[in-house]
Amino acid sequence: MQPQTNQAKKTSLFAMIKEDFATPVRKDPALKSRLELFFNYPGLIALVHYRIAHVLYQKKWRLLSRIIMGWTQFLTNIDIHPAAQIGRRVFIDHGIGVVIGETAIVGDDVTIYQGVSLGGVSLARAKRHPTLESGVVVGAGAKVLGDILIGQNAKIGANSVVIKDVPAECTAVGIPARIIPPRTNDEYKEKATKNALDSAEKDFSPESSEQTQDCCKALSSGTSVPLPDVSKNAFLYLLERIEILEQEKAMQGTLLECQEAQQALQELKQRLDERYGKYIQAFKNA
């Protein structure tokens, strides 16, 4: 991160603000007119005010810089501390509720969505906020807390709570966030194929080739492998249960003594038990 900070210092304030105005044009397809930048992009307004306040803060005009950002918070509902270090071409999309703490470091080409907090978990007067390297994307509502490092081009899922480092190119999702490593296309196809075959062998009977074909079609179309169909297993179980009840009723009386009928009924009950086992297994795998 230090080289980016030095690069930001060498770039003039006017050049950085010019890049800030060009970033939404490049990143937001909803933008139809440059006039909208002044009325519909609070993240841009907050970022421009931050650029000015940050320069003042570095020149020891700290009270004035805090006043500027306090007014900005009132206008945009975005809270950025003037001491934070924010790189070039940063895009704060929608922006409502974004909080960037005093010791946070944000690299170049970072995208931050609404409701994101780059917060601290310590009261110490030291580095206590996260560092985001270049190209990071932070989803709406995510909380990135503490002096942690989010690696280059990493992605933070919406509403995730991140409390540990995220390696470059990885994705963090969940509460607390778990790390999902990147995959190449070949690795993804190999893993998806293995999952498809395992699912077909484990969850579907040999005679149920239609389910296996659906699984392979989903794989070839690029969609995710379907999970076991709990509703279908339940429906088949109920159908076979009804069939057994009907046969038991029909066997009352004279047919009750028929050994062949009793054997057929026993086979139906055994098949029903197998169907019930698959029904329960589908619940476990869903």
Side-chain angles (χ1 to χ4, degrees), residues 37-107:
L37 295 173
F38 297 93
F39 300 100
N40 302 102
Y41 289 81
L44 173 61
I45 302 304
L47 200 54
V48 171
H49 289 184
Y50 155 80
R51 300 291 187 199
I52 299 171
H54 183 66
V55 171
L56 293 173
Y57 194 90
Q58 290 180 317
K59 296 181 178 298
K60 307 301 183 183
W61 292 77
R62 297 184 174 177
L63 178 59
L64 179 58
S65 65
R66 293 284 279 169
I67 292 173
I68 292 173
M69 295 313 299
W71 175 246
T72 301
Q73 182 181 0
F74 175 77
L75 291 177
T76 64
N77 199 23
I78 297 173
D79 183 11
I80 305 177
H81 196 285
Q85 301 179 46
I86 300 179
R88 302 165 58 183
R89 300 177 298 277
V90 171
F91 184 34
I92 302 177
D93 198 6
H94 302 292
I96 304 301
V98 169
V99 177
I100 301 178
E102 176 187 11
T103 61
I105 301 176
V106 179

Side-chain angles (χ1 to χ4, degrees), residues 130-197:
T131 296
L132 277 58
E133 293 189 341
S134 61
V136 171
V137 177
V138 188
K143 314 302 176 188
V144 187
L145 306 176
D147 182 16
I148 59 177
L149 176 65
I150 310 300
Q152 188 172 0
N153 297 324
K155 293 178 176 60
I156 308 298
N159 295 316
S160 299
V161 178
V162 185
I163 55 176
K164 61 181 180 180
D165 293 349
V166 178
E169 308 291 341
C170 292
T171 301
V173 292
I175 303 175
R178 68 182 190 278
I179 308 302
I180 302 176
R183 284 182 186 167
T184 64
N185 289 336
D186 292 339
E187 289 175 339
Y188 176 79
K189 290 178 180 178
E190 182 180 354
K191 182 69 173 178
T193 302
K194 184 178 184 301
N195 289 341
L197 295 175

Side-chain angles (χ1 to χ4, degrees), residues 119-137:
V121 293
S122 169
L123 299 179
R125 294 181 180 273
K127 180 75 167 69
R128 59 188 183 278
H129 297 94
T131 296
L132 277 58
E133 293 189 341
S134 61
V136 171
V137 177

